[in-house]
Amino acid sequence: MSTADDPARRDVLVCVKRTPAVGARITLTEDRMAIDTRHLGFTVGPHEECAVEAAVRIAEEHRAGGGTARVTVLTVGPPDAAEQLRYTLAMGADDGVLVEVPTEELAPEPTAASITAAVRAAADGGTRYDLLLFGTDSAVAGNAQAGIRVARALGLPMVTGIKGMEIDGEGVVLHRETPGGNEVYRVPLPAAVGVKEGINLPRYPTIKGRMRARKAELRTVPGRTEPGGLRTVGLRCPREDRPETVVLGTGAAAVPAVVEKLTELGVL
Amino acid sequence: MLLVLIDTDEDGVPGPGTDDLLAVAHGTGLPVHAVVIGTVPDGLPAECVHRIRHDLLSGYAPEAYGESLAQLVTRAGPAGLLAAATERGDEVLAQAAARAGVPLATRCVALRPGDPWSLTRLRSGGVLLEDAELSAPVAFATVAPGAAAGAETPAATGTPEIVDFTPELDPALARTRVVERVPRAEGVSLATAPVVVSGGRGVGSAEGYAVLEELADLLGGAVGCSRVATNNGWRPHRDQVGLTGTRIAPDLYIACGISGATQHWVGCMNARTILAINTDPEAPMVTRSTYAVVGDLHEVLPALVDALRARVRGSGHAPPAGVSARSET
Ligand SMILES: Cc1cc2nc3c(=O)[nH]c(=O)nc-3n(C[C@H](O)[C@H](O)[C@H](O)COP(=O)(O)OP(=O)(O)OC[C@H]3O[C@@H](n4cnc5c(N)ncnc54)[C@H](O)[C@@H]3O)c2cc1C
């Protein structure tokens, strides 16, 4: 089951989020409403980067078996998020869709509505996704719900926190780690999955991949921008009340002081 | 009235974060009703327990759990629905919120009822706090583990009344349901080890971790790592400490060759004591740690291991109890 007119075809949609690559300290904008990103690089969220890798592997395997496959990566974000889409194309995705909104941080409800609309538009165009992949939660906002809202709107099953995934004839087998051990789910396709970092080791884009991605045409569609039910009043850094660092020494000469400290702390 | 979902394991033991959840719920001043899917634990500090029962709920099932909660909210008409902000709590409440058509505030550390509710939640794994307002007919929120640190856990004041609720569930919801459970192997787990010896880019190679493992062994602890180590394939992802790895709160965290980027820091910032070993005295990990050794870990760690081994031999004592946390890479 897949794209309406070609049952041997597999279509995977991966939703990724542009994430500021903050360093050791976070600076806020003057109005304290956002992270100051003027001097920061951006990246694809790590869970989502693994989701892209998972999708590319599924497509490769399907093609190796004689089928056709397509991986579409979608991001809801500002125009600059095109950079992150190109990165995923360089990793091996086939198409990029930028659902454009004027902000870095959109509330989960409009994000989900934007993605849902894009999936429905694709269906109207004859593309039915077998699998929708999301990161389990985004790195900065950590709302952990956009994917579930999309799945609910589309009537798809969804499991999050997934660190293992295999597609077989009957659907997809999903593995999740819990404090007590591992859980296994077996979900029919089409389905949505919230992926976690650790499911795979994402590949580094090749030079060829980067060249291809640079020239690739991205599709841009407008996103939804209505506010969600949660309104940010302001961000702040929690107070850090750590005492001044005590330097125990330099190099191997510090070892006796370390041993003494470990004894004092009761770990020896 | 607030509905508070108490996640339990098969034996009815409340899951992680339950004390914080109950403390924050009682802190709102609203009467607290517990919701339990499965066995009702003893001594819940709640006026009433809503026990949800249905054949489809015999094992963990995110969609059926979410649907049941959405139906219970319609029936019971609470001011809010809370759960612990664990992976499961966030997932189930998102399922319920999507079905009820309401917003959801995850990872809250403070909640004040009102119109709108005002709240504080964790962002970026906890290095940022977000003050926000939640406008909704029913406030759906998850409470971050540790939110009520230091506060007293509310005590049960008698046996709560148990009210059964049987939701109407479409058998199709059984599609997302645990079909098999694989219990965790024995050993010191990173999440609960009292001592964690962690290595980052400074370790330089997979082989470089041998001395960290030896040190962890001697201290009865586990080995952790930064994302650079997992990305380079030096360590498995389950050893990763941080935002997208495991968040830990050991008694002692020894950070070797780790710079202390925010996304790593959020994973270890709750350690009681941090010892950093780093060539760079200005590395954030060093300036934020309790103790530091400035130097090359390839010199410091072997010397430290030698000294500890000599001590063990000298005293004739075995190293502290604890199983080897050697990881099967
Ligand atoms: C969205 C997002 C999520 C992330 N999640 C995580 C996460 O969960 N966990 C995580 O760890 N990172 C995470 N990261 C990555 C994080 O930003 C850093 O890149 C990473 O933590 C750096 O690892 P490191 O400290 O080992 O390496 P570096 O930053 O390169 O630091 C290496 C340190 O080792 C010291 N050093 C070098 N050689 C030696 C030596 N011989 N002896 C002693 N010291 C030496 C150096 O002085 C330096 O301080 C995330 C990033 C993003 C954008």
Side-chain angles (χ1 to χ4, degrees):
Chain A
M1 167 221 352
S2 181
T3 295
D5 54 2
D6 181 4
R9 173 164 157 171
R10 180 146 281 159
D11 271 288
V12 184
L13 179 75
V14 192
C15 298
V16 305
K17 180 154 185 187
R18 169 179 166 88
T19 299
V22 290
R25 295 211 183 261
I26 297 185
T27 348
L28 298 174
T29 53
E30 218 157 84
D31 63 0
R32 297 195 306 108
M33 293 299 280
I35 291 176
D36 183 354
T37 54
R38 277 174 305 174
H39 308 293
L40 294 180
F42 286 83
T43 167
V44 175
H47 297 314
E48 296 110 276
E49 191 181 344
C50 290
V52 174
E53 176 66 30
V56 171
R57 288 187 194 183
I58 288 168
E60 284 171 348
E61 206 173 295
H62 195 67
R63 286 180 196 126
T68 52
R70 248 187 133 68
V71 174
T72 304
V73 178
L74 176 151
T75 191
V76 181
D80 286 350
E83 183 197 339
Q84 279 63 50
L85 282 180
R86 289 196 194 279
Y87 185 83
T88 67
L89 293 177
M91 284 176 72
D94 303 288
D95 300 305
V97 180
L98 173 66
V99 182
E100 199 181 308
V101 291
T103 156
E104 292 281 355
E105 260 325 319
L106 193 65
E109 301 99 304
T111 302
S114 299
I115 298 169
T116 304
V119 174
R120 291 205 171 119
D124 291 344
T127 299
R128 181 151 158 229
Y129 297 109
D130 304 287
L131 203 54
L132 265 57
L133 300 182
F134 297 86
T136 286
D137 59 342
S138 67
V140 173
N143 288 310
Q145 56 190 270
I148 290 173
R149 288 182 188 276
V150 172
R152 171 63 186 150
L154 297 170
L156 297 176
M158 175 154 194
V159 186
T160 60
I162 294 306
K163 276 201 176 184
M165 174 162 70
E166 302 110 39
I167 293 189
D168 63 17
E170 290 165 59
V172 55
V173 180
L174 304 170
H175 302 263
R176 169 159 162 171
E177 284 178 9
T178 69
N182 290 339
E183 292 175 343
V184 184
Y185 299 79
R186 175 173 272 289
V187 176
L189 295 176
V193 175
V195 168
K196 253 187 121 168
E197 196 183 41
I199 190 174
N200 54 40
L201 214 48
R203 69 195 66 192
Y204 293 110
T206 55
I207 304 271
K208 211 170 119 207
R210 283 184 196 275
M211 303 272 278
R212 191 178 63 83
R214 206 176 324 147
K215 288 190 227 119
E217 206 159 305
L218 303 174
R219 207 146 51 77
T220 301
V221 297
R224 304 273 293 266
T225 52
E226 69 272 15
L230 188 68
R231 192 180 69 83
T232 304
V233 176
L235 301 178
R236 58 196 159 94
C237 298
R239 212 163 40 91
E240 267 190 52
D241 38 15
R242 291 212 165 244
E244 190 100 334
T245 307
V246 177
V247 177
L248 298 174
T250 308
V255 164
V258 173
V259 173
E260 199 185 313
K261 211 36 92 182
L262 295 180
T263 313
E264 231 174 78
L265 292 170
V267 295
L268 282 183
Chain B
M1 177 268 286
L2 266 187
L3 284 176
V4 177
L5 175 66
I6 308 296
D7 187 23
T8 59
D9 67 10
E10 272 94 283
D11 307 321
V13 179
T18 302
D19 288 348
D20 295 284
L21 169 63
L22 285 165
V24 168
H26 280 278
T28 62
L30 295 170
V32 171
H33 287 196
V35 183
V36 174
I37 302 174
T39 314
V40 177
D42 290 332
L44 276 182
E47 285 183 13
C48 167
V49 179
H50 300 262
R51 179 169 55 187
I52 305 185
R53 305 224 270 191
H54 195 286
D55 288 348
L56 287 185
L57 302 172
S58 56
Y60 178 61
E63 283 189 284
Y65 273 42
E67 176 61 31
S68 304
L69 287 172
Q71 289 182 21
L72 177 61
V73 164
T74 307
R75 162 75 74 87
L81 170 66
L82 310 185
T86 55
E87 197 168 87
R88 221 182 234 202
D90 281 347
E91 178 177 48
V92 171
L93 252 62
Q95 282 284 356
R99 285 160 200 277
V102 296
L104 163 66
T106 53
R107 303 165 193 186
C108 298
V109 291
L111 279 166
R112 290 163 296 273
D115 187 16
W117 284 54
S118 58
L119 59 87
T120 303
R121 60 184 294 269
L122 304 182
R123 278 232 194 191
S124 297
V127 281
L128 281 184
L129 295 174
E130 173 186 1
D131 296 312
E133 287 179 350
L134 180 65
S135 308
V138 191
F140 278 43
T142 63
V143 173
E152 284 217 0
T153 312
T157 54
T159 314
E161 182 196 355
I162 296 182
V163 186
D164 282 325
F165 175 68
T166 307
E168 280 176 28
L169 298 179
D170 184 336
L173 294 180
R175 59 195 183 174
T176 57
R177 195 179 185 195
V178 176
V179 293
E180 193 188 334
R181 232 172 254 288
V182 188
R184 182 173 303 288
E186 296 292 308
V188 180
S189 91
L190 179 64
T192 56
V195 178
V196 173
V197 182
S198 216
R201 191 192 302 276
V203 176
S205 65
E207 299 70 45
Y209 281 85
V211 65
L212 279 83
E213 294 199 355
E214 225 173 326
L215 180 59
D217 254 1
L218 286 162
L219 300 175
V223 171
C225 70
S226 74
R227 186 160 174 247
V228 166
T230 34
N231 274 357
N232 285 340
W234 300 342
R235 301 297 295 180
H237 185 267
R238 65 175 174 278
D239 289 355
Q240 183 177 312
V241 172
L243 183 64
T244 52
T246 308
R247 295 193 212 162
I248 56 174
D251 293 332
L252 174 64
Y253 187 67
I254 305 183
C256 312
I258 298 179
S259 63
T262 330
Q263 303 89 354
H264 186 83
W265 179 248
V266 293
C268 65
M269 66 183 181
N270 292 321
R272 189 173 304 163
T273 303
I274 298 178
L275 166 65
I277 302 174
N278 202 304
T279 42
D280 175 8
E282 302 301 325
M285 196 76 220
V286 172
T287 57
R288 282 170 160 171
S289 66
T290 335
Y291 302 107
V293 173
V294 178
D296 186 339
L297 67 92
H298 301 289
E299 289 167 18
V300 179
L301 289 180
L304 179 58
V305 165
D306 280 350
L308 295 183
R309 270 211 228 99
R311 237 178 91 104
V312 171
R313 271 199 304 273
S315 68
H317 287 123
V323 195
S324 157
R326 221 171 277 275
S327 146
E328 65 280 8
T329 28

